Amino acid sequence: MKYQWSQLRPLSKLDQLAETILKTAFLLSENHHVIKSYLNHKGPNFKVVNRVGESEYDIICRQINIEKTNYAFVSKSDLESGLRDDLWVGLVLFVDGQKPTKYLFPSIVWNQPNQLFTDSAVRNSEYGINLNKNTMKSFVEKYSFEKMIKNL
């Protein structure tokens, strides 16, 4: 099957697909369970619990269709409680011709902005994820979903 993510319309379908992919990944995880979905999509999309440590985490879902853009963002106005240890971001990367890949990172990465994790107030006040030739390799290696879920 040849995946043509850039042809999917409307674009909001990729947002919905990214959330479904991330929820499914948590549901398939041995130690995690999705316990709540947020319907307003201002801030987190859903909450997971680690059944071993009984810790709860809010998850924000974002996606990047690399054929269209290399940037995704979280509006600061959507983060009522700000950046915190129990708020994580799941990012699904869509590349035409490939299966989607999942990544996971803590929101607190934006406490120290850099080329990859930006803090911008140019148009709207937002935290950004900027994937380019300088940041892609380290992002892929460090934040793969399978590796980072062990930290939750």
Side-chain angles (χ1 to χ4, degrees):
M1 177 178 195
K2 185 132 168 115
Y3 303 98
Q4 293 299 318
W5 307 113
S6 61
Q7 304 303 312
L8 197 59
R9 298 285 184 267
L11 295 177
S12 62
K13 284 189 176 184
L14 279 181
D15 293 333
Q16 293 172 347
L17 186 54
E19 182 175 344
T20 301
I21 288 168
L22 290 164
K23 277 185 178 177
T24 302
F26 277 106
L27 289 170
L28 292 173
S29 164
E30 192 173 307
N31 295 328
H32 298 85
H33 186 65
V34 175
I35 59 171
K36 182 177 186 179
S37 289
Y38 300 108
L39 300 177
N40 66 3
H41 292 285
K42 293 282 186 190
N45 296 79
F46 58 92
K47 183 181 284 287
V48 298
V49 64
N50 179 317
R51 295 185 304 203
V52 176
E54 297 186 13
S55 303
E56 294 183 6
Y57 299 90
D58 284 325
I59 308 296
I60 295 176
C61 302
R62 291 296 183 266
Q63 58 85 13
I64 292 179
N65 178 348
I66 207 71
E67 311 301 326
K68 300 280 186 183
T69 185
N70 65 337
Y71 183 78
F73 68 92
V74 175
S75 174
K76 290 182 181 180
S77 64
D78 289 346
L79 302 177
E80 293 176 3
S81 301
L83 304 175
R84 56 189 204 275
D85 291 332
D86 65 344
L87 176 64
W88 285 60
V89 179
L91 177 78
V92 178
L93 184 62
F94 293 97
V95 178
D96 281 355
Q98 299 179 22
K99 291 182 179 180
T101 50
K102 306 174 299 297
Y103 301 93
L104 188 64
F105 57 90
S107 67
I108 59 172
V109 297
W110 283 302
N111 284 333
Q112 297 179 338
N114 54 39
Q115 264 193 321
L116 173 59
F117 297 110
T118 62
D119 184 349
S120 173
V122 176
R123 286 189 190 155
N124 298 314
S125 189
E126 65 192 31
Y127 295 111
I129 306 150
N130 183 30
L131 296 179
N132 59 44
K133 64 180 181 180
N134 297 326
T135 61
M136 182 69 89
K137 186 177 182 202
S138 64
F139 179 78
V140 168
E141 290 174 357
K142 188 171 183 179
Y143 297 109
S144 74
F145 184 89
E146 291 75 15
K147 181 178 181 180
M148 294 302 290
I149 194 172
K150 296 173 185 171
N151 296 320
L152 290 184

